[in-house]
Amino acid sequence: AAAAAPRARFGVLAAFALCTFNQGLQWLTYSSVDPDRVRALLGPDRVSDATIALLLNWGPIMGVAVFPAQAYVVSWPGGFRLACALGSLLCLMASLLRLAPALLGLPAQQSDAALAMAHVAQMLNAGAGALCMGSTARLSALWFPDGERTRATAAAIASNALGTNVAFVLGPALGLRGMFALSLALSLASASTLAWLPRHPADGGSVAAMGCARGLRRMLRDARFATLVLSAGVVTGATTGWQSLFQTTLKGAFSEDTIGWLGFANGLAANLGTMGMGQASKRDRLGREARLGVAALLATVQLFAVARGYLGSAPWPAAGLGAVLVLAGLAYGAAQPLLYELAAQLAGPTHEGTAVGLLVGLLNLACFVYVAVSPGASPRTLTVTLLVALVLALAALAFATRRRRCL
């Protein structure tokens, strides 16, 4: 694919990155600020902690619901381009729904209709996330040679995470209305950019022609593949849920701005880990078994980093907690491109978009469960839950790497 369009592939990656960046920033908007700000905007009598959690949780809920459609769409000829266009359109519609009541003034903003529009907007944005993030491996398979695929996948993943990172800082600085306006501007820019997006080269890159439903059945019969995807989904989903709840779990211990910067530091470190591993990893040099082993080791580092930072006997200062969050972010971020590319590799003749779409669907399911229990759970309980998920995922990864001939 890269030989057919040696320059266009970077433009395609940039357009895709803008779309996923905007989707991530939109998704975290309501959780990027102090919960009291959300209540002040939408009405204190209408917004509880469970309401704020649901606004966030529409991401994984819709991610699970949209997965079958995403897997089917990307299996079509030109399906990657269609998935990107649909994702961009959904983000634009979500931006308009969120901003319209805010422009009409306080009574309209604190109406039942405005709250309903906020929920619908989060649902649309979440559908866009499933369409885009499930297509990362499809992007790299179509437009990049094998030696560049992991780096392309890393960049595609990092762009979405960067959107949530920036939201942590811009949310407290701009407020909700400012974030709504920024999201609309980014949505318009993304829609304009993706209108240029070309169709993939006629040879289809390294994608095989197996049907979506048949491919799913084949993958789920492969114990090693199923174990890898399940463990990767648990790790990434639980960690995504944990990261998105910083303003809730750390409320009272630090100021809104400090929590925002802690979230930004954690997310930026994850992005650096993702891009660093993407640069260091060579698809044609690093074997599948080595990828799994590295991912397990990185998850182990994250396990100890989170445990040391949150389960200590005394509260941590912001600088100390920030250092632990940076270490955890580096480990988690570096593991992500390995897991996504391994899922695509172990899928064999199955479509890459279907394989990674399944991983993203499981990610969203794990994130949904994690966020759903958050309103009634203490920060310590949420952290212990994350640690349990990481331990189970490590055991599953050990099983997946136990026999060489299976990889």
Side-chain angles (χ1 to χ4, degrees):
R7 297 180 182 176
R9 69 186 190 277
F10 295 108
V12 171
L13 179 59
F16 183 86
L18 177 60
C19 181
T20 57
F21 172 89
N22 180 43
Q23 190 277 326
L25 184 140
Q26 278 191 14
W27 174 65
L28 198 70
T29 295
Y30 290 107
S31 296
S32 67
V33 299
D34 190 299
D36 290 339
R37 282 208 194 187
V38 183
R39 296 187 182 95
L41 181 69
L42 297 176
D45 296 333
R46 293 180 174 83
V47 178
S48 63
D49 287 343
T51 304
I52 297 174
L54 180 58
L55 286 170
L56 181 70
N57 222 0
W58 281 122
I61 291 171
M62 293 301 295
V64 174
V66 174
F67 158 67
Q70 177 274 330
Y72 185 62
V73 167
V74 297
S75 68
W76 297 349
F80 169 73
R81 186 174 185 271
L82 178 59
C84 291
L86 289 174
S88 178
L89 177 61
L90 290 176
C91 283
L92 179 59
M93 294 170 61
S95 297
L96 291 171
L97 280 175
R98 295 196 309 178
L99 188 59
L103 295 177
L104 297 177
L106 191 62
Q109 185 64 63
Q110 295 190 349
S111 65
D112 291 336
L115 181 58
M117 291 171 72
H119 282 290
V120 173
Q122 288 296 96
M123 294 170 68
L124 294 175
N125 170 265
L131 286 167
C132 294
M133 292 308 294
S135 304
T136 52
R138 175 72 157 148
L139 163 70
S140 60
L142 286 174
W143 291 99
F144 290 85
D146 283 350
E148 297 180 359
R149 279 190 55 172
T150 303
R151 278 175 284 180
T153 301
I157 296 170
S159 61
N160 183 258
L162 183 60
T164 61
N165 302 345
V166 172
F168 274 117
V169 176
L170 291 185
L174 298 180
L176 289 172
R177 288 186 177 90
M179 290 290 286
F180 295 164
L182 176 61
S183 295
L184 178 59
L186 289 173
S187 296
L188 291 170
S190 176
S192 301
T193 302
L194 288 175
W196 159 87
L197 195 68
R199 289 177 64 93
H200 65 77
D203 63 3
S206 59
V207 179
M210 180 177 285
C212 177
R214 180 186 171 194
L216 278 174
R217 289 194 298 270
R218 177 198 170 277
M219 287 188 294
L220 294 177
R221 286 197 298 265
D222 185 335
R224 265 56 187 184
F225 175 84
T227 302
L228 168 68
V229 172
L230 178 62
S231 60
V234 169
V235 168
T236 53
T239 307
T240 299
W242 173 73
Q243 289 172 322
S244 64
L245 293 170
F246 278 174
Q247 286 287 354
T248 300
T249 56
L250 297 179
K251 182 178 172 61
F254 303 101
S255 69
E256 180 189 43
D257 288 337
T258 300
I259 296 173
W261 282 108
L262 288 172
F264 177 78
N266 174 253
L268 180 62
N271 278 346
L272 292 175
T274 297
M275 295 305 298
M277 182 56 68
Q279 184 66 28
S281 173
K282 298 291 186 181
R283 184 182 174 92
D284 55 346
R285 297 180 185 175
L286 186 61
R288 298 171 182 174
E289 195 170 62
R291 289 173 182 271
L292 282 169
V294 169
L297 291 174
L298 291 170
T300 305
V301 173
Q302 183 191 21
L303 169 65
F304 285 105
V306 175
R308 184 66 180 92
Y310 276 95
L311 299 182
S313 58
W316 276 60
L321 180 57
V324 172
L325 291 177
V326 166
L327 178 60
L330 284 170
Y332 168 66
Q336 282 196 86
L338 301 177
L339 296 173
Y340 274 67
E341 276 300 304
L342 274 167
Q345 285 189 39
L346 294 179
T350 304
H351 203 292
E352 291 92 342
T354 302
V356 176
L358 178 60
L359 190 156
V360 172
L362 291 171
L363 180 160
N364 283 305
L365 181 60
C367 184
F368 161 70
V369 173
Y370 193 87
V371 175
V373 303
S374 65
S378 67
R380 183 180 292 271
T381 300
L382 290 173
T383 302
V384 170
T385 304
L386 174 62
L387 296 178
V388 171
L390 287 169
V391 169
L392 293 176
L394 283 173
L397 285 171
F399 169 75
T401 57
R402 185 164 54 92
R403 290 167 59 190
R404 292 187 179 182
R405 67 173 180 272
C406 296
L407 300 174

Short mmCIF file of all heavy atoms in Angstrom, two decimals, residues 28-37 164-173 241-268 310 316-319 321-323 325-326 379:
data_model
loop_
_atom_site.label_atom_id
_atom_site.label_comp_id
_atom_site.label_asym_id
_atom_site.label_seq_id
_atom_site.Cartn_x
_atom_site.Cartn_y
_atom_site.Cartn_z
N LEU A 28 -14.21 13.03 27.26
CA LEU A 28 -13.83 13.28 28.64
C LEU A 28 -14.29 14.64 29.15
O LEU A 28 -14.05 14.98 30.30
CB LEU A 28 -12.30 13.16 28.79
CG LEU A 28 -11.80 12.97 30.22
CD1 LEU A 28 -12.17 11.59 30.75
CD2 LEU A 28 -10.30 13.19 30.31
N THR A 29 -14.96 15.44 28.34
CA THR A 29 -15.28 16.81 28.72
C THR A 29 -15.96 16.90 30.08
O THR A 29 -15.54 17.67 30.95
CB THR A 29 -16.16 17.47 27.65
OG1 THR A 29 -15.42 17.57 26.44
CG2 THR A 29 -16.58 18.86 28.08
N TYR A 30 -17.02 16.13 30.29
CA TYR A 30 -17.77 16.25 31.55
C TYR A 30 -16.98 15.72 32.74
O TYR A 30 -17.27 16.10 33.89
CB TYR A 30 -19.10 15.49 31.43
CG TYR A 30 -20.08 16.14 30.49
CD1 TYR A 30 -20.34 15.58 29.24
CD2 TYR A 30 -20.74 17.30 30.84
CE1 TYR A 30 -21.25 16.17 28.37
CE2 TYR A 30 -21.65 17.90 29.97
CZ TYR A 30 -21.89 17.32 28.74
OH TYR A 30 -22.78 17.91 27.87
N SER A 31 -16.03 14.85 32.52
CA SER A 31 -15.22 14.32 33.62
C SER A 31 -13.89 15.05 33.76
O SER A 31 -13.09 14.69 34.62
CB SER A 31 -14.95 12.83 33.39
OG SER A 31 -16.15 12.10 33.42
N SER A 32 -13.66 16.07 32.93
CA SER A 32 -12.39 16.82 33.02
C SER A 32 -12.45 17.95 34.02
O SER A 32 -11.43 18.59 34.28
CB SER A 32 -12.03 17.37 31.63
OG SER A 32 -12.96 18.36 31.23
N VAL A 33 -13.64 18.23 34.55
CA VAL A 33 -13.81 19.34 35.50
C VAL A 33 -14.37 18.81 36.81
O VAL A 33 -14.81 17.65 36.90
CB VAL A 33 -14.75 20.42 34.92
CG1 VAL A 33 -14.19 21.00 33.63
CG2 VAL A 33 -16.15 19.85 34.67
N ASP A 34 -14.36 19.67 37.82
CA ASP A 34 -14.96 19.32 39.10
C ASP A 34 -16.44 18.98 38.89
O ASP A 34 -17.14 19.68 38.16
CB ASP A 34 -14.82 20.50 40.06
CG ASP A 34 -15.20 20.14 41.48
OD1 ASP A 34 -16.37 19.76 41.70
OD2 ASP A 34 -14.34 20.25 42.38
N PRO A 35 -16.93 17.89 39.49
CA PRO A 35 -18.35 17.53 39.31
C PRO A 35 -19.31 18.66 39.65
O PRO A 35 -20.41 18.73 39.07
CB PRO A 35 -18.53 16.34 40.26
CG PRO A 35 -17.17 15.72 40.36
CD PRO A 35 -16.21 16.87 40.29
N ASP A 36 -18.94 19.55 40.56
CA ASP A 36 -19.82 20.67 40.89
C ASP A 36 -20.04 21.59 39.70
O ASP A 36 -21.08 22.25 39.59
CB ASP A 36 -19.23 21.47 42.06
CG ASP A 36 -19.29 20.69 43.37
OD1 ASP A 36 -20.12 19.74 43.46
OD2 ASP A 36 -18.51 20.99 44.29
N ARG A 37 -19.06 21.69 38.80
CA ARG A 37 -19.25 22.51 37.60
C ARG A 37 -20.30 21.90 36.68
O ARG A 37 -21.06 22.63 36.03
CB ARG A 37 -17.92 22.62 36.84
CG ARG A 37 -16.93 23.61 37.42
CD ARG A 37 -16.06 24.12 36.29
NE ARG A 37 -14.87 24.81 36.76
CZ ARG A 37 -14.04 25.46 35.95
NH1 ARG A 37 -14.25 25.47 34.65
NH2 ARG A 37 -12.99 26.07 36.43
N THR A 164 -7.82 13.03 25.31
CA THR A 164 -8.24 12.97 26.71
C THR A 164 -7.23 13.65 27.61
O THR A 164 -7.60 14.29 28.60
CB THR A 164 -8.43 11.51 27.15
OG1 THR A 164 -7.19 10.79 27.02
CG2 THR A 164 -9.47 10.82 26.30
N ASN A 165 -5.93 13.56 27.27
CA ASN A 165 -4.91 14.24 28.08
C ASN A 165 -5.11 15.75 28.09
O ASN A 165 -5.08 16.41 29.13
CB ASN A 165 -3.51 13.94 27.54
CG ASN A 165 -3.20 12.47 27.49
OD1 ASN A 165 -3.89 11.66 28.11
ND2 ASN A 165 -2.19 12.10 26.74
N VAL A 166 -5.31 16.30 26.90
CA VAL A 166 -5.49 17.74 26.77
C VAL A 166 -6.76 18.19 27.49
O VAL A 166 -6.82 19.28 28.08
CB VAL A 166 -5.52 18.14 25.28
CG1 VAL A 166 -5.90 19.60 25.11
CG2 VAL A 166 -4.15 17.89 24.65
N ALA A 167 -7.79 17.34 27.47
CA ALA A 167 -9.04 17.68 28.16
C ALA A 167 -8.82 17.87 29.65
O ALA A 167 -9.46 18.73 30.27
CB ALA A 167 -10.08 16.59 27.90
N PHE A 168 -7.92 17.10 30.24
CA PHE A 168 -7.65 17.24 31.67
C PHE A 168 -7.19 18.66 32.01
O PHE A 168 -7.54 19.20 33.06
CB PHE A 168 -6.57 16.25 32.11
CG PHE A 168 -7.11 14.89 32.47
CD1 PHE A 168 -6.73 13.78 31.75
CD2 PHE A 168 -7.97 14.73 33.54
CE1 PHE A 168 -7.21 12.52 32.09
CE2 PHE A 168 -8.46 13.48 33.88
CZ PHE A 168 -8.07 12.37 33.15
N VAL A 169 -6.42 19.27 31.13
CA VAL A 169 -5.88 20.60 31.39
C VAL A 169 -6.84 21.70 30.91
O VAL A 169 -7.06 22.69 31.61
CB VAL A 169 -4.50 20.77 30.71
CG1 VAL A 169 -3.97 22.18 30.90
CG2 VAL A 169 -3.52 19.75 31.27
N LEU A 170 -7.40 21.52 29.72
CA LEU A 170 -8.26 22.56 29.16
C LEU A 170 -9.62 22.63 29.86
O LEU A 170 -10.24 23.70 29.90
CB LEU A 170 -8.47 22.31 27.66
CG LEU A 170 -7.26 22.50 26.76
CD1 LEU A 170 -7.65 22.35 25.30
CD2 LEU A 170 -6.61 23.87 26.99
N GLY A 171 -10.11 21.51 30.40
CA GLY A 171 -11.40 21.52 31.08
C GLY A 171 -11.46 22.54 32.20
O GLY A 171 -12.32 23.43 32.20
N PRO A 172 -10.55 22.47 33.19
CA PRO A 172 -10.57 23.48 34.25
C PRO A 172 -10.29 24.90 33.74
O PRO A 172 -10.80 25.87 34.30
CB PRO A 172 -9.45 23.01 35.19
CG PRO A 172 -9.34 21.54 34.95
CD PRO A 172 -9.61 21.37 33.48
N ALA A 173 -9.49 25.03 32.68
CA ALA A 173 -9.13 26.37 32.18
C ALA A 173 -10.25 27.01 31.37
O ALA A 173 -10.55 28.20 31.53
CB ALA A 173 -7.86 26.27 31.33
N GLY A 241 -10.91 3.36 32.39
CA GLY A 241 -11.89 3.79 33.38
C GLY A 241 -11.25 4.45 34.58
O GLY A 241 -11.72 5.48 35.08
N TRP A 242 -10.14 3.88 35.06
CA TRP A 242 -9.43 4.45 36.20
C TRP A 242 -8.91 5.85 35.89
O TRP A 242 -9.04 6.77 36.69
CB TRP A 242 -8.29 3.50 36.55
CG TRP A 242 -7.34 3.99 37.59
CD1 TRP A 242 -7.56 4.10 38.94
CD2 TRP A 242 -5.98 4.42 37.37
NE1 TRP A 242 -6.44 4.58 39.56
CE2 TRP A 242 -5.46 4.78 38.63
CE3 TRP A 242 -5.19 4.53 36.25
CZ2 TRP A 242 -4.15 5.24 38.78
CZ3 TRP A 242 -3.88 4.99 36.39
CH2 TRP A 242 -3.38 5.34 37.64
N GLN A 243 -8.33 6.04 34.72
CA GLN A 243 -7.81 7.35 34.34
C GLN A 243 -8.92 8.39 34.23
O GLN A 243 -8.74 9.54 34.63
CB GLN A 243 -7.08 7.25 33.00
CG GLN A 243 -5.77 6.50 33.05
CD GLN A 243 -5.19 6.28 31.66
OE1 GLN A 243 -5.93 6.03 30.71
NE2 GLN A 243 -3.89 6.38 31.54
N SER A 244 -10.06 8.01 33.69
CA SER A 244 -11.12 8.98 33.44
C SER A 244 -11.81 9.46 34.71
O SER A 244 -12.56 10.44 34.67
CB SER A 244 -12.16 8.36 32.50
OG SER A 244 -12.79 7.25 33.10
N LEU A 245 -11.58 8.79 35.84
CA LEU A 245 -12.25 9.14 37.09
C LEU A 245 -11.38 9.96 38.03
O LEU A 245 -11.71 10.09 39.22
CB LEU A 245 -12.72 7.86 37.80
CG LEU A 245 -13.82 7.07 37.10
CD1 LEU A 245 -14.02 5.72 37.77
CD2 LEU A 245 -15.12 7.85 37.09
N PHE A 246 -10.29 10.53 37.54
CA PHE A 246 -9.40 11.28 38.42
C PHE A 246 -10.12 12.40 39.17
O PHE A 246 -9.89 12.63 40.35
CB PHE A 246 -8.24 11.87 37.62
CG PHE A 246 -7.12 10.90 37.36
CD1 PHE A 246 -6.06 11.24 36.54
CD2 PHE A 246 -7.12 9.65 37.93
CE1 PHE A 246 -5.02 10.36 36.29
CE2 PHE A 246 -6.09 8.74 37.69
CZ PHE A 246 -5.05 9.10 36.87
N GLN A 247 -10.97 13.17 38.47
CA GLN A 247 -11.64 14.29 39.12
C GLN A 247 -12.59 13.82 40.23
O GLN A 247 -12.87 14.57 41.16
CB GLN A 247 -12.43 15.12 38.09
CG GLN A 247 -11.57 15.98 37.18
CD GLN A 247 -10.98 17.19 37.90
OE1 GLN A 247 -11.29 17.46 39.06
NE2 GLN A 247 -10.11 17.91 37.20
N THR A 248 -13.04 12.58 40.14
CA THR A 248 -13.91 12.03 41.18
C THR A 248 -13.12 11.41 42.31
O THR A 248 -13.36 11.68 43.49
CB THR A 248 -14.87 10.98 40.58
OG1 THR A 248 -15.68 11.59 39.58
CG2 THR A 248 -15.77 10.38 41.65
N THR A 249 -12.14 10.57 41.97
CA THR A 249 -11.41 9.83 43.00
C THR A 249 -10.45 10.71 43.79
O THR A 249 -10.16 10.43 44.95
CB THR A 249 -10.62 8.67 42.38
OG1 THR A 249 -9.75 9.17 41.37
CG2 THR A 249 -11.57 7.66 41.75
N LEU A 250 -9.95 11.79 43.19
CA LEU A 250 -8.99 12.65 43.87
C LEU A 250 -9.62 13.94 44.39
O LEU A 250 -8.93 14.80 44.93
CB LEU A 250 -7.83 13.02 42.92
CG LEU A 250 -6.98 11.84 42.44
CD1 LEU A 250 -5.89 12.32 41.50
CD2 LEU A 250 -6.37 11.08 43.61
N LYS A 251 -10.93 14.10 44.23
CA LYS A 251 -11.62 15.29 44.72
C LYS A 251 -11.47 15.40 46.23
O LYS A 251 -11.67 14.44 46.96
CB LYS A 251 -13.11 15.23 44.35
CG LYS A 251 -13.90 16.45 44.79
CD LYS A 251 -15.35 16.32 44.35
CE LYS A 251 -16.22 17.42 44.91
NZ LYS A 251 -15.80 18.76 44.48
N GLY A 252 -11.11 16.56 46.70
CA GLY A 252 -10.89 16.79 48.13
C GLY A 252 -9.44 16.68 48.52
O GLY A 252 -9.00 17.36 49.46
N ALA A 253 -8.67 15.84 47.83
CA ALA A 253 -7.25 15.71 48.14
C ALA A 253 -6.42 16.78 47.43
O ALA A 253 -5.40 17.23 47.96
CB ALA A 253 -6.75 14.32 47.75
N PHE A 254 -6.85 17.17 46.22
CA PHE A 254 -6.15 18.18 45.44
C PHE A 254 -7.17 19.12 44.81
O PHE A 254 -8.36 18.82 44.74
CB PHE A 254 -5.30 17.53 44.34
CG PHE A 254 -4.30 16.52 44.84
CD1 PHE A 254 -4.56 15.16 44.75
CD2 PHE A 254 -3.10 16.93 45.41
CE1 PHE A 254 -3.65 14.24 45.21
CE2 PHE A 254 -2.18 16.01 45.88
CZ PHE A 254 -2.45 14.66 45.78
N SER A 255 -6.69 20.27 44.34
CA SER A 255 -7.56 21.20 43.66
C SER A 255 -7.92 20.68 42.27
O SER A 255 -7.27 19.76 41.75
CB SER A 255 -6.88 22.57 43.53
OG SER A 255 -5.78 22.49 42.62
N GLU A 256 -8.95 21.30 41.66
CA GLU A 256 -9.37 20.89 40.33
C GLU A 256 -8.23 21.02 39.33
O GLU A 256 -8.01 20.12 38.51
CB GLU A 256 -10.56 21.74 39.90
CG GLU A 256 -11.10 21.40 38.51
CD GLU A 256 -12.14 22.39 38.04
OE1 GLU A 256 -11.91 23.61 38.23
OE2 GLU A 256 -13.14 21.96 37.45
N ASP A 257 -7.50 22.14 39.39
CA ASP A 257 -6.40 22.34 38.45
C ASP A 257 -5.28 21.32 38.66
O ASP A 257 -4.71 20.80 37.70
CB ASP A 257 -5.83 23.76 38.60
CG ASP A 257 -6.77 24.82 38.05
OD1 ASP A 257 -7.62 24.47 37.20
OD2 ASP A 257 -6.66 25.98 38.46
N THR A 258 -4.96 21.02 39.92
CA THR A 258 -3.91 20.05 40.21
C THR A 258 -4.29 18.66 39.70
O THR A 258 -3.46 17.96 39.10
CB THR A 258 -3.63 19.99 41.72
OG1 THR A 258 -3.22 21.29 42.19
CG2 THR A 258 -2.53 18.98 42.03
N ILE A 259 -5.54 18.28 39.91
CA ILE A 259 -5.99 16.98 39.40
C ILE A 259 -5.89 16.94 37.88
O ILE A 259 -5.50 15.93 37.29
CB ILE A 259 -7.43 16.70 39.86
CG1 ILE A 259 -7.50 16.58 41.37
CG2 ILE A 259 -7.96 15.41 39.21
CD1 ILE A 259 -8.91 16.48 41.94
N GLY A 260 -6.24 18.07 37.25
CA GLY A 260 -6.13 18.14 35.80
C GLY A 260 -4.70 17.92 35.32
O GLY A 260 -4.46 17.18 34.36
N TRP A 261 -3.75 18.54 36.00
CA TRP A 261 -2.35 18.37 35.61
C TRP A 261 -1.84 16.96 35.90
O TRP A 261 -1.01 16.42 35.17
CB TRP A 261 -1.47 19.41 36.29
CG TRP A 261 -1.56 20.76 35.64
CD1 TRP A 261 -2.18 21.86 36.11
CD2 TRP A 261 -1.01 21.12 34.36
NE1 TRP A 261 -2.07 22.90 35.22
CE2 TRP A 261 -1.36 22.48 34.14
CE3 TRP A 261 -0.29 20.43 33.40
CZ2 TRP A 261 -0.98 23.15 32.98
CZ3 TRP A 261 0.09 21.10 32.24
CH2 TRP A 261 -0.25 22.44 32.04
N LEU A 262 -2.34 16.35 36.99
CA LEU A 262 -1.95 14.96 37.27
C LEU A 262 -2.47 14.03 36.17
O LEU A 262 -1.75 13.14 35.70
CB LEU A 262 -2.52 14.52 38.63
CG LEU A 262 -1.85 15.12 39.87
CD1 LEU A 262 -2.64 14.75 41.13
CD2 LEU A 262 -0.41 14.66 40.00
N GLY A 263 -3.72 14.26 35.76
CA GLY A 263 -4.26 13.46 34.66
C GLY A 263 -3.49 13.69 33.37
O GLY A 263 -3.24 12.74 32.60
N PHE A 264 -3.13 14.93 33.12
CA PHE A 264 -2.36 15.24 31.91
C PHE A 264 -1.00 14.56 31.93
O PHE A 264 -0.55 14.01 30.92
CB PHE A 264 -2.19 16.75 31.79
CG PHE A 264 -1.34 17.17 30.62
CD1 PHE A 264 -1.88 17.18 29.34
CD2 PHE A 264 -0.02 17.56 30.79
CE1 PHE A 264 -1.11 17.56 28.25
CE2 PHE A 264 0.75 17.96 29.71
CZ PHE A 264 0.20 17.96 28.44
N ALA A 265 -0.32 14.58 33.11
CA ALA A 265 0.99 13.94 33.21
C ALA A 265 0.90 12.44 32.97
O ALA A 265 1.72 11.86 32.26
CB ALA A 265 1.59 14.21 34.59
N ASN A 266 -0.13 11.82 33.54
CA ASN A 266 -0.31 10.39 33.33
C ASN A 266 -0.59 10.08 31.86
O ASN A 266 0.00 9.16 31.28
CB ASN A 266 -1.47 9.90 34.21
CG ASN A 266 -1.82 8.45 33.95
OD1 ASN A 266 -2.86 8.16 33.35
ND2 ASN A 266 -0.99 7.53 34.41
N GLY A 267 -1.46 10.86 31.25
CA GLY A 267 -1.79 10.62 29.85
C GLY A 267 -0.65 10.92 28.90
O GLY A 267 -0.43 10.19 27.92
N LEU A 268 0.10 11.99 29.18
CA LEU A 268 1.24 12.32 28.33
C LEU A 268 2.30 11.23 28.40
O LEU A 268 2.89 10.85 27.37
CB LEU A 268 1.84 13.66 28.75
CG LEU A 268 3.05 14.14 27.95
CD1 LEU A 268 2.68 14.35 26.49
CD2 LEU A 268 3.62 15.43 28.55
N TYR A 310 -0.99 4.43 45.28
CA TYR A 310 -2.31 4.64 45.86
C TYR A 310 -2.60 3.85 47.13
O TYR A 310 -3.55 4.16 47.83
CB TYR A 310 -3.38 4.28 44.82
CG TYR A 310 -3.67 5.41 43.88
CD1 TYR A 310 -3.03 5.48 42.65
CD2 TYR A 310 -4.56 6.41 44.22
CE1 TYR A 310 -3.29 6.51 41.77
CE2 TYR A 310 -4.82 7.45 43.35
CZ TYR A 310 -4.19 7.49 42.13
OH TYR A 310 -4.43 8.52 41.27
N TRP A 316 -0.05 11.03 49.53
CA TRP A 316 1.11 11.45 48.77
C TRP A 316 1.01 12.93 48.41
O TRP A 316 -0.09 13.42 48.13
CB TRP A 316 1.21 10.64 47.48
CG TRP A 316 1.89 9.32 47.66
CD1 TRP A 316 1.51 8.31 48.48
CD2 TRP A 316 3.06 8.86 46.99
NE1 TRP A 316 2.36 7.25 48.36
CE2 TRP A 316 3.33 7.56 47.45
CE3 TRP A 316 3.91 9.42 46.03
CZ2 TRP A 316 4.40 6.81 47.00
CZ3 TRP A 316 4.97 8.66 45.58
CH2 TRP A 316 5.22 7.39 46.06
N PRO A 317 2.13 13.65 48.37
CA PRO A 317 2.09 15.00 47.81
C PRO A 317 1.88 14.92 46.30
O PRO A 317 2.10 13.87 45.69
CB PRO A 317 3.47 15.57 48.15
CG PRO A 317 4.35 14.37 48.29
CD PRO A 317 3.47 13.29 48.86
N ALA A 318 1.48 16.05 45.71
CA ALA A 318 1.17 16.05 44.29
C ALA A 318 2.37 15.62 43.44
O ALA A 318 2.22 14.87 42.47
CB ALA A 318 0.69 17.43 43.86
N ALA A 319 3.58 16.08 43.82
CA ALA A 319 4.76 15.74 43.03
C ALA A 319 5.05 14.24 43.08
O ALA A 319 5.37 13.62 42.06
CB ALA A 319 5.97 16.52 43.53
N LEU A 321 2.88 11.76 43.77
CA LEU A 321 1.84 11.04 43.05
C LEU A 321 2.00 11.22 41.55
O LEU A 321 1.81 10.28 40.77
CB LEU A 321 0.47 11.56 43.49
CG LEU A 321 -0.75 10.90 42.83
CD1 LEU A 321 -0.75 9.39 43.05
CD2 LEU A 321 -2.04 11.51 43.36
N GLY A 322 2.40 12.43 41.13
CA GLY A 322 2.63 12.67 39.71
C GLY A 322 3.72 11.77 39.15
O GLY A 322 3.59 11.26 38.03
N ALA A 323 4.79 11.56 39.93
CA ALA A 323 5.88 10.70 39.47
C ALA A 323 5.39 9.26 39.28
O ALA A 323 5.75 8.59 38.30
CB ALA A 323 7.04 10.74 40.47
N LEU A 325 2.29 8.33 38.67
CA LEU A 325 1.37 8.30 37.54
C LEU A 325 2.13 8.33 36.21
O LEU A 325 1.70 7.73 35.23
CB LEU A 325 0.40 9.49 37.62
CG LEU A 325 -0.62 9.43 38.75
CD1 LEU A 325 -1.47 10.70 38.76
CD2 LEU A 325 -1.51 8.21 38.62
N VAL A 326 3.24 9.04 36.17
CA VAL A 326 4.06 9.06 34.96
C VAL A 326 4.62 7.66 34.68
O VAL A 326 4.60 7.18 33.55
CB VAL A 326 5.20 10.09 35.09
CG1 VAL A 326 6.25 9.88 34.01
CG2 VAL A 326 4.63 11.50 35.01
N PRO A 379 -12.15 5.51 46.52
CA PRO A 379 -10.94 5.48 45.67
C PRO A 379 -10.08 4.25 45.91
O PRO A 379 -9.52 3.68 44.97
CB PRO A 379 -10.22 6.78 46.07
CG PRO A 379 -11.30 7.70 46.52
CD PRO A 379 -12.31 6.82 47.20
#
